[in-house]
Amino acid sequence: MPAGTDHLCIRPRGVLRGAVLTLVFTGVLATAAATGSLPRQESAGAERPDPARTATVDRAALNRAAAAAMADGKSGKQAAEEFVSRSGDRWGAVYDKREYAEFEQALDGTYTGVGLSAGRAAEGRVRVTRVQAGGPAERAGLRAGDRLVSVDGRPVGGLSVSEAVALLRGDGVPGSAVALRVERGGATWTQTLHRARLATDPVTVRRLDEGAVLIKVAAFTKGAGARVRDAVRDAPAGAGVLLDLRGNSGGLVTEAAVAASAFLDGGLVATYDVEGEQRAVYAEGGGDTGRPLVALIDGGTMSAAELLTGALQDRGRAVTVGSRTFGKGSVQMPSALPDGSVAELTVGHYRTPAGHAVDGRGITPDLAAGERAEERARTVLSGLGGGS
């Protein structure tokens, strides 16, 4: 997800140094033998992780540290943050109740906000890059290209995009008001909006001129896997599929497994360990195994999207085109703290079906491509017989 989107740009406090956003992912996956709880995966738009820094944390010791701080009249959350920071857990983080509730809300493909995305413009200004149809921003007449001057009286020129978007989100309460100072051309005005609960659209589908189908997946929120599967089933017979996972910040591993099921007839998607116990993620049977498939990836392809990429690549189902993926393949699980906050701690790591580690390494595409990656991918797909 883009860092400048008001519905998913959640600035984590605590130990995720350098991270632009954090999503918490959880789900339940039916494996071959039993049904169990799948660990959570985070995705962060930060520097590529160092495998040496993904140490695990002693959860019992963490709880004792938080409890001791509270007994001394100090903040249990702050003590937990300091403990995790010292542990070397690159992806460990601590959230208060509100932050955690926001993260879990994002999993449903819904959010509370004003319905706009923002980016950095010239001279440090924050510019509106997209306005969601039907949202408060569109109803107020805002449009792409407008510049944000301030949010609730606070100038945003000196803030990062993620900080500005955090102000737009506010406390995340639907109906709460936020005053935006907006500039367009030579005019400047203040517009008061009321935040609303809005839905995201993580999957978009369109036909290409050559007859192939482009399926763009921005994130694996709830329902995204089924959307991919339906798009493949609805594609014309013989049409190839260009699966665009560039900039996909991850999501629910269960949804990535459902998406894999669109192209695989069952079998392994990934393996993972949780505190030494080995487990696996499987695709469902009945997928389309003959349709030509090319997957587009880049440095913004993270976590669950990397697992899907690894499964399609290792099992020879897709040609991958683009650049090396981010490298987020560690497993996080939640741990409730005495003060009601939640710590997400690294407990293991994922591997592709061929046994390749993802964390800190990423996935190298079959065909490296830069700015013209989509053009090259379409050429490859045509060569596989996926175009008319």
Side-chain angles (χ1 to χ4, degrees):
M1 290 278 177
T5 307
D6 73 330
H7 54 285
L8 287 178
C9 185
I10 304 170
R11 295 185 63 251
R13 302 189 189 103
V15 300
L16 276 180
R17 295 173 295 276
V20 176
L21 57 100
T22 298
L23 298 178
V24 180
F25 308 115
T26 185
V28 176
L29 174 73
T31 62
T35 300
S37 178
L38 185 68
R40 306 180 187 225
Q41 258 197 327
E42 294 177 48
S43 67
E47 72 274 10
R48 192 174 300 277
D50 179 353
R53 295 179 58 203
T54 53
T56 57
V57 177
D58 185 332
R59 285 185 282 178
L62 174 64
N63 274 273
R64 289 195 297 269
M70 293 175 64
D72 290 339
K74 301 176 182 178
S75 168
K77 178 177 182 289
Q78 183 176 350
E81 288 174 337
E82 293 172 354
F83 186 99
V84 174
S85 181
R86 292 193 302 268
S87 74
D89 184 348
R90 173 66 180 84
W91 298 108
V94 183
Y95 311 100
D96 63 30
K97 290 181 180 180
R98 183 185 63 81
E99 292 169 332
Y100 203 67
E102 289 177 349
F103 300 156
E104 293 193 318
Q105 182 189 75
L107 292 177
D108 294 327
T110 62
Y111 67 99
T112 299
V114 298
L116 61 79
S117 299
R120 180 66 62 187
E123 300 177 355
R125 296 181 176 183
V126 176
R127 179 175 60 88
V128 175
T129 58
R130 185 181 66 86
V131 177
Q132 182 171 337
E138 185 195 52
R139 293 196 300 270
L142 298 184
R143 59 189 189 218
D146 290 344
R147 289 178 295 277
L148 293 181
V149 178
S150 66
V151 177
D152 281 336
R154 181 174 177 182
V156 299
L159 302 180
S160 67
V161 172
S162 58
E163 287 172 326
V165 170
L167 293 177
L168 290 173
R169 287 182 53 86
D171 56 10
V173 176
S176 59
V178 56
L180 308 185
R181 187 70 175 167
V182 182
E183 179 183 337
R184 181 189 300 164
T188 304
W189 74 97
T190 298
Q191 186 79 50
T192 298
L193 307 180
H194 290 85
R195 299 179 179 95
R197 191 171 176 85
L198 303 170
T200 62
D201 188 8
V203 180
T204 54
V205 183
R206 64 182 175 92
R207 288 288 299 275
L208 301 177
D209 293 339
E210 57 269 29
V213 175
L214 172 65
I215 304 175
K216 169 70 176 176
V217 188
F220 285 107
T221 53
K222 288 182 181 178
R227 291 278 304 279
V228 172
R229 187 178 56 200
D230 291 345
V232 174
R233 289 175 177 173
D234 293 342
V241 170
L242 182 58
L243 182 64
D244 191 350
L245 300 175
R246 292 175 298 176
N248 185 312
S249 54
L252 290 161
V253 176
T254 50
E255 295 296 336
V258 172
S261 301
F263 306 104
L264 301 172
D265 187 15
L268 190 63
V269 173
T271 59
Y272 63 98
D273 61 280
V274 176
E275 297 177 335
E277 180 182 350
Q278 299 300 308
R279 305 181 188 181
V281 180
Y282 294 93
E284 299 173 0
D288 188 334
T289 59
R291 189 183 297 273
L293 175 64
V294 173
L296 266 170
I297 57 176
D298 66 5
T301 304
M302 308 178 188
S303 68
E306 291 179 280
L307 298 191
L308 173 59
T309 300
L312 296 177
Q313 184 183 62
D314 281 4
R315 297 183 57 182
R317 182 60 188 90
V319 176
T320 54
V321 177
S323 54
R324 186 160 62 108
T325 63
F326 181 77
K328 171 64 178 69
S330 57
V331 181
Q332 279 71 48
M333 293 188 74
S335 182
L337 299 176
D339 63 354
S341 57
V342 177
E344 286 277 337
L345 307 173
T346 298
V347 296
H349 297 84
Y350 282 91
R351 291 182 177 274
T352 68
H356 302 302
V358 175
D359 203 58
R361 296 174 174 82
I363 295 173
T364 302
D366 300 312
L367 176 63
E371 294 181 358
R372 303 178 67 182
E374 182 173 332
E375 180 181 337
R376 298 197 68 181
R378 291 169 68 162
T379 300
V380 171
L381 188 59
S382 178
L384 294 175
S388 59

